[in-house]
Structure formats: C-alpha cells, structure tokens
Amino acid sequence: MNRRVLHIARNTFREAVRDRVLYNLIAFALLMSGAAILVGQISIDIERLVVINLGLTAVSLFGVVIAIFIGIGLVSKEIDRRTLYTILTRPVRRWEFITGKFFGLAGTLLVNTLCMAVGVFAALLYVSHRFQRADGWVLVALYFIVLQFLIITALALLFSAFSTPLMSAVFAFALFVVGCFSEDLRGFAAMAHGAEKWLATAAAYVIPNFSALNVITSVAHGQPVSGQLVLYNTIYALIYVLMALSGAVLIFERRNLK
Amino acid sequence: MPAIEILGLEKTYHVGFWRKQAKRALHPLQLTVAEGEIFGFLGPNGAGKTTTIKMLMGLVFPSGGTARVLGGSISDPAVRAQVGFLPEQPYFYDYLTARELLEYYGQLSGIPGQERRQKVKAMLERVGLGEAGNVQLRKFSKGMLQRVGIAQAILHDPKIVIFDEPMSGLDPMGRREVRDLIEQLKQEGKTVFFSTHILSDAEALCDRVAILHQGQLRGVGAVAELTANVQGKIELIWSGTTAPAALKAISAELHVSGDTVRAVLAEDRQESALDILKQSGLRLISLTPVRSSLEDYFVSQVGPDKISAGAGS
Ligand SMILES: Nc1ncnc2c1ncn2[C@@H]1O[C@H](COP(=O)(O)OP(=O)(O)OP(=O)(O)O)[C@@H](O)[C@H]1O
Ligand SMILES: [Mg+2]
C-alpha cells in the first residue's frame, strides 16, 4: 500500500485509541458477562440462542455507533480544527487522506470487533461449557457485521465530505436503520406499480442492503450460511465501499477548506 | 525562475445561508516573489492576506487567476514537497507529543527513518522545544504551539517557506528568535514569504514588502523605496508652556511636557516654523528629522483609522 495512506491510517488508529474509543469494550464486557450469568441461571435449553443473539446484536450496535461516531468525528475534527492544513500542504493527495482515514477507522473497528468476538465466545463457553461445530457460523455472522461496519464507515466519510457533523450523523443513522429493512423495501418494489415501483427500486439499490448482511437469527439457531451468500456479500460490500469512497474523494477534491 | 508568481488570483466568497451575497475578499492580484528573498505581505485585519495564502497553498480554490510556485502548480505533490507552510493560529493533533507530531509530518513528507529521527530532534532544539518533546500538545501554550508550527514548516528542508503571521502569540523573546530564524533561512538560500501586521518586524527583515488593503494591492517594493516617497517629518522642541497659534496650525502633533513643547510637522514646513518661533521669541532646543518609516507609508496607503485595529495582534 501507498506509504502515506499507511501513515495516515496508523495515525487515525492512534487517535481513536488515545481518544479512548476502545473503552466501549468495558461496557460490552459488563453486558456480556451480566447476560451470561443471568441466562445460565434461568434457562435450560435456549442459553446458546440467547447468548448468540444478544451478543451479536450488541457487537453490531456498538460497532455501528462507533463507526458513525468516529467516522464523522475524526474527519470533521480535522476540517474544523484545520489540522488538515498541515497535511494537505504536504505531498499528500486528498484521495490519500480519505483512503488513509478509511483504513485507520476500519482497523479500529476490526480490533474492537475482535475483542468483542472474544467476549461473545467466552460467554458462549460459560453457558454451554464447550464449543460446538455450529459455533463456527458465529464467525461468519461476525464477518458480515464487519462488512456492515466498512459500509457505514465509508458512508460516514462520504457524508462528512460535504455536510456538517450533525447532519452527517443523522444521514448515516437513517441509512443504517432503513438499510436494516432493505429486504422489505425490495419486497415492496417487486409488488408496486408505476412511479412507486421506480422509486422503490432506485431506493433499494442506493440503500445499503443490511438485511442480507444480517444472519444473526439463523446463526443463533445453528443454521449454516451458504458459501454463495458469503461471496455475494463480500463482493457487494466491496463495491459499495468503493463507490461511497469514490464519491467522498470526488467531493473532497473540489472542496474549499474553511 | 521566480519562487512564487501570483497571476491574477482573486476570490469572491458567497456568504449568507439563503440569499447568498457575494463578498470580494481579494481583487485580482499580481505579485512575484524572487528566489532567495524575504518577502513581507502586509495589511490590516481582513485585508485578504490569509485568503491569498490559502489559495497559494491549494487549500481554497480561487474564483479566478492562477499561481505558480517554483514554476509549477501547487496541486503537484512534487512542488508541495518543496514548500513549508505555517497556517494562521495553527492547531495540531493534541493527542500527540511534539516529537510524535513532527515524526508523523516527516513521514508524510517522505523523509526516511533514520534521517527523520535526527531532523526531528534537531528541529525541536532549534525552535526551543528540546525539553518539551515528549509532552502532549494539549498541554502546550499558544506560543509553544506557534513554535511547533514553525518547526513542522521547515522540518523537510523546503526551498520556499510560507508563514501566515509567524510572530503572533509569541513573547518579545520569541519574536526575536523567529526573526533570527527567518534570517537564517535566508542565509540557507530559502525564500521566505510571510504575512504580518507587525510593521517593525517587516521593516527589519524584508527585502521587499507588498501592502494589501481591502483585497487590493496598494504598493510593492523594497521598504526604502516605498518610504522614499512618503513625506518626511521633523521634530521641534522648544522651551515654553504654550505654542503660538500659527505653529499650532501647521503642526501634526503637539505635546506639552513640563516646561518644553514638542511638535511634529511636515519637512517642508521647517522654515516657516523656525520663523514663527523666532518671531514669538521662543528658545529652540532641538530640531531632528524623523526617519519616515514603513508605518508612515502604511498609514498613507491604508489610513490611520485602520492602523490601530491592525497593530493589536
Ligand atoms: N470562509 C470565508 N467565508 C466568507 N468570507 C471570508 C472567508 N474567509 C475570509 N473571508 C473574508 O475575506 C476577507 C479577507 O479575510 P482574510 O482572512 O484573508 O484577511 P487577513 O488579511 O488574513 O486578516 P487578518 O490580519 O485578520 O488575519 C475578510 O473580509 C473576511 O471576512
Ligand atoms: Mg489572516
């Protein structure tokens, strides 16, 4: 990878760590251990179901909040506080800055998710005393969750390339929520007619398809994930991230810094 | 080849959320800075200095015109590698220490590892932060941040240095140090372009200056050239407690202190003033020519009302 992109990514990661972003892990650890102890006491059959469901949902929500929070925060801070002045007047291209930020944020989320994954598996071990073959699918679910984070981070960068932090956060959260219901939107598009059909189809393409990336429930029931879905989701996420980042770069290249 | 050529750069900002109003921050500006010179960019608050510099550095896009730096465009990273920049009121990543920050900037400027560590260390010493290298920037004072700003601008040994108000926020000692540093940079063969309100600094340092007011260029040249055309003044001191009415009428300033009166007046009034003193029977104590300074020129171009606002910061 390009050296400068790497340096910017590393500095972004360092900033996130020093801004105590990883402290969210404490809250997550408390939540997981509380849930595990509680579930272990009351239920007989459904411990695994509850722990996987709750654990993965928590991983996903914590991560989404962090992705939006730091994705927008760490970029808009550079613009607002004008730290960008001394970066972009060096032999650094604007696309290198955006790309470096993306990788730094992605790295932060990855480390965060890894720690959380350890927590989920620890809780799983606590309630069912041993791992089963089906637990491997939890890893696939986690992989899909990371793909979601990448998409959201790219969107956060796209929004903060032209909008205020608050508006960017609102856009990003709205897209996340709508994206979780994208399956329904696709269903609606299939049934609708005329202008409605067009609108719904267009929206279904623009809005990130988080339904397909969410396999938490089926994994919690021990159902496998098809290899085809893994492949499709990977390609889908890569294309989505690439397009969102390209948009961010295109806007940012033309932007006057304040 | 000139170091910097500003070819008709202009900027109009559109302000207001709903009905956008056009605000001309800079009229088309024509300016050339030769290689190896110290060039002062002067003007009162809001004159358009920072706007010009930001366009020059490619941070803000001009409404018209272009600029060339070392014969190339600032959008070319190879050109930017040759330029050092200190922004106005710089702010840095406050979670880093001064050393980490300079390391990071050195990496981005492509300075290789071993050399970078040495340069960072030497640079911290050079700007007087040798002791504070491992302190997080959030604990730095304004003047210390300004020093970090200067350090990052010259770390990669650029050919051209562009400083936006390098003296602001510094104590008298610090200002002196920055002055010396700018002179050293010239000795090293670098071109220095800096904006300032502090006329005495510009006068002491600059080979040439440009004066900007309300987005328009009001004068360019060597300080001596610019001040040559400004009418000189003389200072008269005589013993007494009052001034004759005729003398009052032609004096620009009059101060009575104790039993002497001091008057400042235009050079060409010297003869008539002496006549008046003689006729009134007053005893002359001294007559001294006042060297016309950059400040006089500045006032003549910008108006005295603007000076007081400009000289403060
Ligand atoms: N982002 C902006 N949007 C709108 N107007 C702006 C913007 N930046 C600067 N201006 C206006 O442009 C004019 C020139 O501002 P500039 O900052 O270039 O002045 P300056 O000479 O650097 O002043 P100072 O000595 O106070 O730093 C001012 O009238 C200012 O209000
Ligand atoms: Mg300014």
Side-chain angles (χ1 to χ4, degrees), chain A residues 16-60:
Chain A
V17 171
R18 293 202 184 166
D19 271 357
R20 305 186 172 87
V21 168
L22 299 180
Y23 277 23
N24 75 90
L25 290 172
I26 298 173
F28 182 81
L30 287 177
L31 181 76
M32 273 334 282
S33 35
I37 292 167
L38 209 66
V39 170
Q41 279 174 355
I42 54 172
S43 64
I44 315 123
D45 269 342
I46 54 162
E47 302 97 341
R48 290 173 31 79
L49 181 86
V50 173
V51 165
I52 293 177
N53 240 325
L54 183 91
L56 291 185
T57 306
V59 170
S60 161

Short mmCIF file of all heavy atoms in Angstrom, two decimals, chain A residues 16-60:
data_model
loop_
_atom_site.label_atom_id
_atom_site.label_comp_id
_atom_site.label_asym_id
_atom_site.label_seq_id
_atom_site.Cartn_x
_atom_site.Cartn_y
_atom_site.Cartn_z
N ALA A 16 -7.85 7.29 17.56
CA ALA A 16 -9.03 6.62 18.11
C ALA A 16 -8.70 5.99 19.45
O ALA A 16 -9.45 6.11 20.42
CB ALA A 16 -9.54 5.57 17.13
N VAL A 17 -7.53 5.34 19.53
CA VAL A 17 -7.15 4.69 20.77
C VAL A 17 -6.94 5.73 21.87
O VAL A 17 -7.45 5.58 22.99
CB VAL A 17 -5.86 3.85 20.58
CG1 VAL A 17 -5.35 3.36 21.91
CG2 VAL A 17 -6.15 2.69 19.65
N ARG A 18 -6.25 6.82 21.53
CA ARG A 18 -5.99 7.83 22.57
C ARG A 18 -7.24 8.61 22.93
O ARG A 18 -7.32 9.20 24.00
CB ARG A 18 -4.89 8.77 22.10
CG ARG A 18 -3.58 8.03 22.00
CD ARG A 18 -2.39 8.93 22.06
NE ARG A 18 -1.19 8.14 21.85
CZ ARG A 18 0.00 8.65 21.58
NH1 ARG A 18 0.15 9.96 21.50
NH2 ARG A 18 1.03 7.87 21.41
N ASP A 19 -8.20 8.65 22.03
CA ASP A 19 -9.49 9.27 22.37
C ASP A 19 -10.36 8.32 23.17
O ASP A 19 -11.53 8.57 23.40
CB ASP A 19 -10.24 9.68 21.09
CG ASP A 19 -9.88 11.08 20.64
OD1 ASP A 19 -9.10 11.74 21.35
OD2 ASP A 19 -10.37 11.53 19.59
N ARG A 20 -9.79 7.19 23.56
CA ARG A 20 -10.46 6.22 24.43
C ARG A 20 -11.69 5.59 23.80
O ARG A 20 -12.66 5.27 24.47
CB ARG A 20 -10.83 6.88 25.76
CG ARG A 20 -9.63 7.52 26.43
CD ARG A 20 -9.98 8.03 27.81
NE ARG A 20 -8.80 8.46 28.50
CZ ARG A 20 -8.28 9.69 28.41
NH1 ARG A 20 -8.88 10.58 27.65
NH2 ARG A 20 -7.20 10.02 29.06
N VAL A 21 -11.64 5.44 22.47
CA VAL A 21 -12.76 4.80 21.79
C VAL A 21 -12.93 3.36 22.27
O VAL A 21 -14.03 2.87 22.45
CB VAL A 21 -12.55 4.85 20.26
CG1 VAL A 21 -13.54 3.95 19.55
CG2 VAL A 21 -12.66 6.27 19.78
N LEU A 22 -11.80 2.70 22.53
CA LEU A 22 -11.87 1.28 22.89
C LEU A 22 -12.46 1.06 24.29
O LEU A 22 -12.73 -0.07 24.68
CB LEU A 22 -10.49 0.62 22.78
CG LEU A 22 -9.88 0.66 21.38
CD1 LEU A 22 -8.51 -0.01 21.35
CD2 LEU A 22 -10.78 -0.01 20.35
N TYR A 23 -12.69 2.14 25.03
CA TYR A 23 -13.30 1.99 26.35
C TYR A 23 -14.70 1.40 26.28
O TYR A 23 -15.21 0.89 27.26
CB TYR A 23 -13.37 3.35 27.07
CG TYR A 23 -12.09 3.74 27.76
CD1 TYR A 23 -10.87 3.21 27.35
CD2 TYR A 23 -12.09 4.64 28.81
CE1 TYR A 23 -9.69 3.58 27.97
CE2 TYR A 23 -10.91 5.01 29.44
CZ TYR A 23 -9.72 4.48 29.02
OH TYR A 23 -8.55 4.84 29.63
N ASN A 24 -15.32 1.49 25.09
CA ASN A 24 -16.64 0.90 24.95
C ASN A 24 -16.60 -0.60 25.27
O ASN A 24 -17.60 -1.20 25.62
CB ASN A 24 -17.18 1.12 23.54
CG ASN A 24 -16.50 0.20 22.54
OD1 ASN A 24 -16.97 -0.91 22.30
ND2 ASN A 24 -15.38 0.63 22.01
N LEU A 25 -15.39 -1.18 25.13
CA LEU A 25 -15.26 -2.62 25.37
C LEU A 25 -15.59 -2.97 26.81
O LEU A 25 -16.07 -4.06 27.10
CB LEU A 25 -13.83 -3.06 25.04
CG LEU A 25 -13.50 -3.04 23.55
CD1 LEU A 25 -12.02 -3.30 23.33
CD2 LEU A 25 -14.33 -4.08 22.82
N ILE A 26 -15.34 -2.04 27.72
CA ILE A 26 -15.65 -2.30 29.12
C ILE A 26 -17.16 -2.49 29.28
O ILE A 26 -17.63 -3.45 29.90
CB ILE A 26 -15.14 -1.14 30.00
CG1 ILE A 26 -13.62 -1.05 29.87
CG2 ILE A 26 -15.57 -1.35 31.45
CD1 ILE A 26 -13.03 0.15 30.57
N ALA A 27 -17.91 -1.56 28.67
CA ALA A 27 -19.37 -1.66 28.74
C ALA A 27 -19.82 -2.98 28.12
O ALA A 27 -20.69 -3.68 28.66
CB ALA A 27 -20.00 -0.48 28.02
N PHE A 28 -19.19 -3.32 27.00
CA PHE A 28 -19.58 -4.56 26.31
C PHE A 28 -19.27 -5.78 27.19
O PHE A 28 -20.10 -6.69 27.30
CB PHE A 28 -18.83 -4.67 24.98
CG PHE A 28 -19.20 -5.88 24.20
CD1 PHE A 28 -20.36 -5.90 23.43
CD2 PHE A 28 -18.41 -7.02 24.23
CE1 PHE A 28 -20.72 -7.02 22.71
CE2 PHE A 28 -18.77 -8.15 23.52
CZ PHE A 28 -19.92 -8.15 22.76
N ALA A 29 -18.12 -5.78 27.81
CA ALA A 29 -17.73 -6.91 28.66
C ALA A 29 -18.71 -7.06 29.81
O ALA A 29 -19.15 -8.18 30.13
CB ALA A 29 -16.32 -6.69 29.19
N LEU A 30 -19.09 -5.92 30.41
CA LEU A 30 -20.05 -5.97 31.52
C LEU A 30 -21.37 -6.56 31.03
O LEU A 30 -21.96 -7.44 31.67
CB LEU A 30 -20.29 -4.57 32.08
CG LEU A 30 -19.13 -3.99 32.90
CD1 LEU A 30 -19.44 -2.57 33.34
CD2 LEU A 30 -18.87 -4.88 34.12
N LEU A 31 -21.81 -6.08 29.87
CA LEU A 31 -23.08 -6.55 29.32
C LEU A 31 -23.05 -8.05 29.07
O LEU A 31 -23.95 -8.79 29.48
CB LEU A 31 -23.35 -5.80 28.01
CG LEU A 31 -24.66 -6.15 27.30
CD1 LEU A 31 -25.82 -5.48 28.01
CD2 LEU A 31 -24.62 -5.74 25.84
N MET A 32 -21.97 -8.51 28.44
CA MET A 32 -21.86 -9.93 28.09
C MET A 32 -21.81 -10.80 29.34
O MET A 32 -22.47 -11.83 29.42
CB MET A 32 -20.60 -10.19 27.26
CG MET A 32 -20.72 -10.03 25.75
SD MET A 32 -22.33 -10.27 25.04
CE MET A 32 -22.46 -12.03 25.00
N SER A 33 -21.02 -10.39 30.31
CA SER A 33 -20.91 -11.26 31.49
C SER A 33 -22.20 -11.25 32.28
O SER A 33 -22.64 -12.31 32.76
CB SER A 33 -19.70 -10.87 32.35
OG SER A 33 -19.50 -9.49 32.33
N GLY A 34 -22.84 -10.06 32.36
CA GLY A 34 -24.13 -9.99 33.05
C GLY A 34 -25.13 -10.93 32.39
O GLY A 34 -25.80 -11.75 33.05
N ALA A 35 -25.20 -10.83 31.04
CA ALA A 35 -26.17 -11.65 30.30
C ALA A 35 -25.88 -13.13 30.49
O ALA A 35 -26.79 -13.94 30.73
CB ALA A 35 -26.13 -11.28 28.82
N ALA A 36 -24.59 -13.48 30.40
CA ALA A 36 -24.22 -14.89 30.50
C ALA A 36 -24.61 -15.47 31.86
O ALA A 36 -25.18 -16.57 31.95
CB ALA A 36 -22.72 -15.06 30.27
N ILE A 37 -24.33 -14.73 32.91
CA ILE A 37 -24.64 -15.22 34.25
C ILE A 37 -26.15 -15.38 34.42
O ILE A 37 -26.64 -16.40 34.89
CB ILE A 37 -24.07 -14.24 35.32
CG1 ILE A 37 -22.54 -14.30 35.28
CG2 ILE A 37 -24.59 -14.60 36.70
CD1 ILE A 37 -21.87 -13.19 36.05
N LEU A 38 -26.87 -14.36 33.94
CA LEU A 38 -28.33 -14.37 34.08
C LEU A 38 -28.93 -15.55 33.31
O LEU A 38 -29.71 -16.33 33.85
CB LEU A 38 -28.88 -13.05 33.53
CG LEU A 38 -30.17 -12.56 34.16
CD1 LEU A 38 -29.93 -12.20 35.61
CD2 LEU A 38 -30.69 -11.35 33.39
N VAL A 39 -28.54 -15.68 32.05
CA VAL A 39 -29.08 -16.74 31.20
C VAL A 39 -28.72 -18.11 31.76
O VAL A 39 -29.53 -19.03 31.79
CB VAL A 39 -28.56 -16.58 29.75
CG1 VAL A 39 -28.92 -17.79 28.92
CG2 VAL A 39 -29.13 -15.33 29.13
N GLY A 40 -27.50 -18.24 32.22
CA GLY A 40 -27.03 -19.51 32.76
C GLY A 40 -27.87 -19.96 33.95
O GLY A 40 -28.02 -21.15 34.20
N GLN A 41 -28.45 -19.00 34.66
CA GLN A 41 -29.23 -19.36 35.84
C GLN A 41 -30.67 -19.75 35.52
O GLN A 41 -31.22 -20.65 36.12
CB GLN A 41 -29.23 -18.20 36.82
CG GLN A 41 -27.96 -18.16 37.65
CD GLN A 41 -27.87 -16.95 38.53
OE1 GLN A 41 -28.74 -16.08 38.47
NE2 GLN A 41 -26.85 -16.88 39.34
N ILE A 42 -31.27 -19.04 34.56
CA ILE A 42 -32.71 -19.25 34.40
C ILE A 42 -33.10 -20.26 33.32
O ILE A 42 -34.05 -20.98 33.49
CB ILE A 42 -33.47 -17.92 34.15
CG1 ILE A 42 -32.86 -17.18 32.95
CG2 ILE A 42 -33.45 -17.05 35.39
CD1 ILE A 42 -33.68 -15.98 32.54
N SER A 43 -32.38 -20.34 32.23
CA SER A 43 -32.90 -21.16 31.14
C SER A 43 -32.18 -22.50 31.06
O SER A 43 -31.10 -22.67 31.61
CB SER A 43 -32.77 -20.43 29.82
OG SER A 43 -31.42 -20.23 29.55
N ILE A 44 -32.79 -23.44 30.36
CA ILE A 44 -32.21 -24.77 30.27
C ILE A 44 -31.73 -25.03 28.85
O ILE A 44 -30.61 -25.45 28.64
CB ILE A 44 -33.22 -25.86 30.67
CG1 ILE A 44 -33.95 -25.44 31.96
CG2 ILE A 44 -32.53 -27.20 30.88
CD1 ILE A 44 -35.45 -25.38 31.82
N ASP A 45 -32.60 -24.72 27.86
CA ASP A 45 -32.28 -25.10 26.50
C ASP A 45 -31.79 -23.97 25.62
O ASP A 45 -31.09 -24.20 24.64
CB ASP A 45 -33.53 -25.70 25.84
CG ASP A 45 -33.57 -27.20 26.04
OD1 ASP A 45 -32.49 -27.76 26.37
OD2 ASP A 45 -34.65 -27.78 25.88
N ILE A 46 -32.20 -22.78 25.95
CA ILE A 46 -32.00 -21.72 24.98
C ILE A 46 -30.83 -20.80 25.31
O ILE A 46 -30.71 -19.71 24.76
CB ILE A 46 -33.28 -20.86 24.84
CG1 ILE A 46 -33.72 -20.35 26.22
CG2 ILE A 46 -34.40 -21.64 24.17
CD1 ILE A 46 -34.67 -19.18 26.14
N GLU A 47 -29.91 -21.26 26.18
CA GLU A 47 -28.79 -20.38 26.53
C GLU A 47 -28.02 -19.92 25.31
O GLU A 47 -27.74 -18.73 25.14
CB GLU A 47 -27.79 -21.07 27.46
CG GLU A 47 -28.33 -21.59 28.75
CD GLU A 47 -28.65 -23.06 28.66
OE1 GLU A 47 -28.79 -23.57 27.53
OE2 GLU A 47 -28.75 -23.71 29.73
N ARG A 48 -27.67 -20.89 24.46
CA ARG A 48 -26.86 -20.56 23.29
C ARG A 48 -27.58 -19.58 22.39
O ARG A 48 -27.00 -18.60 21.92
CB ARG A 48 -26.52 -21.82 22.52
CG ARG A 48 -25.53 -22.74 23.25
CD ARG A 48 -25.36 -24.06 22.55
NE ARG A 48 -25.53 -23.93 21.09
CZ ARG A 48 -24.59 -23.46 20.28
NH1 ARG A 48 -23.43 -23.11 20.77
NH2 ARG A 48 -24.81 -23.36 18.99
N LEU A 49 -28.86 -19.84 22.17
CA LEU A 49 -29.66 -18.97 21.33
C LEU A 49 -29.62 -17.53 21.86
O LEU A 49 -29.36 -16.58 21.12
CB LEU A 49 -31.11 -19.48 21.31
CG LEU A 49 -32.06 -18.67 20.44
CD1 LEU A 49 -31.99 -19.15 19.02
CD2 LEU A 49 -33.49 -18.78 20.97
N VAL A 50 -29.85 -17.41 23.16
CA VAL A 50 -29.89 -16.07 23.75
C VAL A 50 -28.53 -15.40 23.68
O VAL A 50 -28.41 -14.24 23.28
CB VAL A 50 -30.40 -16.14 25.20
CG1 VAL A 50 -30.29 -14.77 25.86
CG2 VAL A 50 -31.83 -16.64 25.25
N VAL A 51 -27.51 -16.15 24.06
CA VAL A 51 -26.17 -15.53 24.10
C VAL A 51 -25.73 -15.09 22.70
O VAL A 51 -25.22 -13.97 22.52
CB VAL A 51 -25.14 -16.50 24.72
CG1 VAL A 51 -23.72 -16.03 24.44
CG2 VAL A 51 -25.36 -16.58 26.22
N ILE A 52 -25.94 -15.94 21.70
CA ILE A 52 -25.51 -15.56 20.35
C ILE A 52 -26.33 -14.38 19.83
O ILE A 52 -25.79 -13.40 19.32
CB ILE A 52 -25.63 -16.77 19.38
CG1 ILE A 52 -24.63 -17.85 19.79
CG2 ILE A 52 -25.37 -16.33 17.94
CD1 ILE A 52 -24.72 -19.10 18.96
N ASN A 53 -27.62 -14.47 20.02
CA ASN A 53 -28.48 -13.38 19.57
C ASN A 53 -28.11 -12.06 20.21
O ASN A 53 -27.87 -11.06 19.54
CB ASN A 53 -29.94 -13.72 19.93
CG ASN A 53 -30.81 -13.79 18.69
OD1 ASN A 53 -30.58 -13.03 17.75
ND2 ASN A 53 -31.75 -14.70 18.67
N LEU A 54 -28.06 -12.11 21.52
CA LEU A 54 -27.77 -10.88 22.26
C LEU A 54 -26.36 -10.39 21.97
O LEU A 54 -26.13 -9.22 21.70
CB LEU A 54 -27.93 -11.15 23.76
CG LEU A 54 -27.73 -9.90 24.62
CD1 LEU A 54 -29.06 -9.22 24.81
CD2 LEU A 54 -27.11 -10.25 25.95
N GLY A 55 -25.41 -11.32 21.99
CA GLY A 55 -24.01 -10.95 21.79
C GLY A 55 -23.79 -10.31 20.44
O GLY A 55 -23.24 -9.22 20.34
N LEU A 56 -24.26 -10.96 19.38
CA LEU A 56 -24.01 -10.44 18.04
C LEU A 56 -24.76 -9.12 17.80
O LEU A 56 -24.24 -8.21 17.17
CB LEU A 56 -24.39 -11.47 16.98
CG LEU A 56 -23.48 -12.71 16.94
CD1 LEU A 56 -23.86 -13.61 15.78
CD2 LEU A 56 -22.02 -12.30 16.81
N THR A 57 -25.97 -9.03 18.34
CA THR A 57 -26.71 -7.77 18.19
C THR A 57 -25.94 -6.64 18.88
O THR A 57 -25.82 -5.53 18.35
CB THR A 57 -28.12 -7.91 18.78
OG1 THR A 57 -28.75 -9.04 18.18
CG2 THR A 57 -28.94 -6.66 18.51
N ALA A 58 -25.41 -6.95 20.07
CA ALA A 58 -24.66 -5.92 20.79
C ALA A 58 -23.39 -5.54 20.01
O ALA A 58 -23.07 -4.36 19.87
CB ALA A 58 -24.29 -6.41 22.18
N VAL A 59 -22.69 -6.54 19.48
CA VAL A 59 -21.49 -6.26 18.68
C VAL A 59 -21.85 -5.31 17.54
O VAL A 59 -21.19 -4.29 17.29
CB VAL A 59 -20.89 -7.55 18.09
CG1 VAL A 59 -19.80 -7.22 17.07
CG2 VAL A 59 -20.33 -8.43 19.18
N SER A 60 -22.95 -5.63 16.87
CA SER A 60 -23.36 -4.85 15.73
C SER A 60 -23.74 -3.42 16.13
O SER A 60 -23.27 -2.46 15.53
CB SER A 60 -24.52 -5.58 15.05
OG SER A 60 -25.23 -4.73 14.23
#
